Amino acid sequence: MLYIKCPYCGLRAQKEFSYGGDATVKRPNINEEVSSEDWDNFVYMRKSPRGKHIELWQHIAGCRQWIKVQRDTATHEIFQTAKVTEEIR
Amino acid sequence: MSQPFRLNKVGLINRNKKISFTFNGKKLFGYEGDTIASALIANGIHLVGRSFKYHRPRGFFGAGVEEPNAKLQVEFNGHSEPNVNATEMELVEGLSATSQNCWPSVNFDIGAINNFLKMFFPAGFYYKTFMWPKSFWYKIYEPFIRKAAGLGVASIEKDKERYEHKFEYCDLLVTGSGPSGLASAYAAAKNGAKVILAEDKPRFGGTLLTDDVSIDNLSGKDWAEKIITELKSMPNVTVKNRSQVFGYYDHNMLVMFERVSDHLEKKSKFTPRQRLWYIRAKETILSTGSIERPIVFGNNDTPGIFLSAAAKEYMKVYGVLVGKKPLIFTNNDSAYETALEFKKNNVEPIILDTREEHSSELIDEAKSKGIDIRFSHGVIVANGYKKVKSAKIGKLNKDKNSFEKIETVDCDCICVSGFWTPSVHLASQSGNKLKYEEKIDAFIPDKKKQHETSVGAANGSFTLEESLKHGFENGSNLSAKIKETKTEISIPNVNEKKYGAHDKFWCMPLPKNENPKRFVDFQNDVSVSDIEIALREGYRSIEHVKRYTTLGMATDQGRTSNLNGLQLVSNIENKIVPEVGHTTFRPPFTPITIGTIVGREVGMEYMPTRKTPMHEWHEKNNAVFVDAGAWKRPRYYKQGNETLFEASKREAKNVRENVGICDVTTLGKIDIKGPDAAEFLNRVYTNAWMKLPVGKARYGLMLREDGIVMDDGTTTRISENHYHMTTTTAQAANVLSHLEYYLQIVWPELNVNVVSTTEQWAGAAIAGPKSRDMLSKLYPDLEVSNEALPFMGYKEAEFFGVPSRIFRISFSGELAYEINIKSDHGLFMWEKMMEVGKEFGNQPYGTEALSTLRIEMGHVAGPELDGRTIPSDVSLNGLVSKKKDFIGKNSLGREAFNVESRQKIVGLIPIDRKSSIPEGSHIVQDQNAKLPNPKLGHVSSSCWSVENNNPFSLAIMKDGKNMIGKKFFAVSPLKNKSIEVEVISSHYVDPEGKRVRS
């Protein structure tokens, strides 16, 4: 079970969180034209890297904040966590 | 009642307390502190089981977790448990143990015929044999194999015991209380660190209990006792015996299995039987010690053959002799200690040492005590079937591939030592890639991936001096880093015997013209020849050899067999062991009970039960409940002998004709506040929200970004910047997370707050043509006319003095209202409604009637919004705004979403107007077509239409409304039904929606 440092609550067990996918995906702006290629990339295309991955988690059984976690998908090592408004490196 | 193999005065058992137990029906006794194994051996009993494949007689081999054979079915404290390790299970009064995997008895086992047919049971036997004919598998082979396989019998009784889970955090977790573990724990404790020390056995001290050593002029045992006593007195230290740390998981989380009360005769009702500890440790010391490995020889599985250290432990801890005429067969010095212990107890051992004649402290001592030592000797084959009677021994030639001077010596036990294997299981589980240490022919931990440090024998240090030094140093340094203080501790003086070098010898050659089985893995019955066959057949990877032969699998995890197996493969392959590599060690290190894994999460505690404030009333009024997630909802209210079908029909009919009330508390409710709330809703829902006036509700549809419908519900504008959103019961949590996602990540500039208020409001729907009359009685001071409170209107008013919210919304398709009141008053509201509604023929209705009402109205719900449908699939494209952008809008233009033949919602009625159509049925053109029969759609929801008094279903079907009027078959292979159906509109009742507006 992972040990995730919520930027608001501190180190908490994985069972308090739910996973939310790639955090680097940016939704096209609302009310703006978007090409179907860009849209499809946003909706469907995700990288599945072995190694470092910046991803979203939500502290659902805690402060309910969505957070960013930089994790190694192979070893589960967590390098950094941040608020969603903050950048990871 | 004499115990022929019990020594006088020796051992750590409590001779003042006798414990009686039975083994295979025979009454026996032992002492407090005995294991089942030590008590049986004291009684001269060695034959305890039959082997897995060949049903060969098997006895004890070890004295602890390393035991591969002695797994018993044990009944105690009123329950029966299979595969209990006899060398670990402590004796309790009244315990009854029986042998497994034998029939009719362990003494005469019919399955042993496999042993004489063993040439027909080579490696991969099952893979090769039961391939043909194919049809035999299910009816003949599989049931037979199933019957023959497995060991004990799991109880089918409900487990009445209590199991617990515990979460714990510490600075340092020490796994094992041998010398290095004690030293580590002690040094860390002195630095003020929070320490947990876990010991698998009942007694602390590990090898200190059995080795002839002294520390600071105290015997090993006394020193261990002194340290443990001090640790127990320290507030920052938790000391746990009977506790096995069995798994090493991510981020330094270790899991420990504590046997809390299996050894107790009496315990309180609330004492758990066993406890699972989840321990998050900042640092972990792995002081798990080492396990002696056997030397392989002919019939080396005969009862009476022991690991030499186990024989010593039986003498020193339990005061039990494993035999009175021992042969000690070794390639190293440690077995000499066993020999000396026998000698001390007036038993004359013979030592067979594979090494050439040489000298060392221990050899010299054995010589001086007059022990018969035969160098360059080994056991070729053990004789005896159910117990070893003699052994054929021989002198090894220089190359150690043949022998001379073969003779037979009488013996009643053989104690074997092939040197020591560090227990690296936890280190390996933590991600540590092990390295091969040539000096000890075994793997030790290498570079660490997590915060673990192996010390002592687990790290390949086999001297006490080194183990203590490493223990103190690592315990001190690791805790000093955490606590930022360091207390100096002087490392104690040690007195131990110096061991000479061991012999890299692990397997005796076969005698000429004889072919006895030489077992590598006792538990899985894997012999040298099995591994040879696997390699001959082309298996090269050690992982493949493992799976093909079952070497190192199951509960044993290769504890005694792993390295000998690797040696064999490397010898045949002409590689060195590190090139062969090792197989993966998996948790749990030792078996743990299912009860412990489950903990308290059984029965009603399996998951939380959510009850509405009206639950008590429902119960009193014969509600039959259905699970909706964690919620309990009334499915129907049973009157007399009514069936579900009859009751739901009655309830639904009453709504259509009079009025009914339904508990809708479980609907998800989200309070939305903020100046940008309207803009937010406008982006979240597919329809327009900017112009919704205060005091009005609107039905809304929410999509995922891929265009699929996520949820639907009504949202009401309570005041300028305040909205009340409802979601379906099932999607409540997901919708809240979804909203939070967009507010926190995508549009943080929107000034909006969302919070779940599901638990804060109790809700009741009042539905039916008489609902307005009933409402006016409930709110005598309120104007409730169609003009004052129109469809989708909203009002706040006092419900008999309690503030409440009235929404004119409808799921049933009838004129209907939903009243929300603070949860505390939910029951009051419900009872008042029942009282006031009497004159209008009001009846409560459950989810089954609710479904009927919505299905015949063509209102979609979960079965239609199944994660595959877009708005136009379910006739909701009218709710999709063309003017504005919203979540998922860009996906709706996808080509596949816009093809004419796309599956869309329709209604179905059976041609005979009688046969109910099973949900999940497939719609096909020709019911007799050859398989695979092309599927045109599926039946999503079915009901008995109370309006038209015949079955009606909703279906998602190719070409949708274009199919109306055509006939098809709805086939359900599951229910073995095929029903001819006609396609009609999905709006079966009141298609214009007049009633809701009446």
Side-chain angles (χ1 to χ4, degrees), chain B residues 58 114 137 177 188 304 434 442 499 502 546 719 724 750 767 812 834 858 866 893 900 909 911 952 964 984:
Chain B
R58 288 285 165 83
N114 289 1
W137 177 252
S177 73
L434 309 172
Y499 283 16
H502 79 285
K546 168 181 169 177
S719 67
H724 172 83
L750 293 182
S812 57
M834 287 308 297
D866 64 353
E900 189 60 22
I909 46 168
I911 300 294
F952 173 72
I964 288 175
I984 59 171

Side-chain angles (χ1 to χ4, degrees), chain B residues 79 252 286 486 648:
Chain B
H79 54 81
N252 249 47
L286 302 176
K486 195 164 177 172
S648 63

Side-chain angles (χ1 to χ4, degrees), chain B residues 469-660:
Chain B
K469 188 165 164 280
H470 281 168
F472 277 114
E473 280 171 4
N474 282 297
S476 178
N477 293 341
L478 291 168
S479 56
K481 248 191 278 168
I482 298 166
K483 302 307 289 182
E484 292 172 351
T485 60
K486 195 164 177 172
T487 310
E488 286 305 322
I489 299 174
S490 56
I491 295 168
N493 291 320
V494 166
N495 198 343
E496 65 184 315
K497 283 169 188 149
K498 297 262 177 307
Y499 283 16
H502 79 285
D503 182 15
K504 293 173 187 283
F505 181 87
W506 67 276
C507 182
M508 286 293 283
L510 277 177
K512 272 190 196 108
N513 308 321
E514 271 184 77
N515 197 12
K517 281 260 173 206
R518 293 174 298 170
F519 284 94
V520 177
D521 181 331
F522 298 101
Q523 185 172 70
N524 300 296
D525 260 0
V526 181
S527 66
V528 170
S529 56
D530 290 323
I531 299 171
E532 286 169 347
I533 287 171
L535 291 159
R536 269 209 305 278
E537 291 183 359
Y539 290 89
R540 286 294 173 271
S541 154
I542 188 68
E543 295 282 3
H544 290 159
V545 172
K546 168 181 169 177
R547 278 152 188 80
Y548 195 56
T549 63
T550 66
L551 170 72
M553 304 219 324
T555 67
D556 191 55
Q557 286 291 297
R559 278 191 274 278
T560 51
S561 63
N562 189 12
L563 274 160
N564 285 341
L566 291 176
Q567 280 289 357
L568 177 54
V569 174
S570 68
N571 286 6
I572 297 170
E573 290 282 281
N574 217 354
K575 283 180 185 167
I576 49 171
V577 173
E579 281 175 21
V580 175
H582 60 88
T583 53
T584 314
F585 297 103
R586 297 180 197 285
F589 175 61
T590 52
I592 57 169
T593 58
I594 299 286
T596 314
I597 298 171
V598 173
R600 302 281 298 137
E601 289 166 27
V602 285
M604 286 302 286
E605 283 77 43
Y606 176 63
M607 61 189 278
T609 304
R610 297 176 87 181
K611 293 176 182 173
T612 75
M614 293 82 109
H615 189 85
E616 196 190 318
W617 189 95
H618 302 322
E619 266 179 341
K620 273 190 212 148
N621 289 275
N622 296 325
V624 177
F625 291 95
V626 62
D627 290 336
W631 288 102
K632 296 277 174 210
R633 298 192 72 179
R635 192 171 184 192
Y636 61 101
Y637 300 83
K638 190 174 179 146
Q639 291 186 358
N641 290 326
E642 269 181 339
T643 60
L644 162 71
F645 178 65
E646 291 159 353
S648 63
K649 228 160 88 171
R650 166 182 56 74
E651 290 170 8
K653 208 156 180 274
N654 189 56
V655 172
R656 292 270 183 253
E657 286 167 6
N658 299 306
V659 60

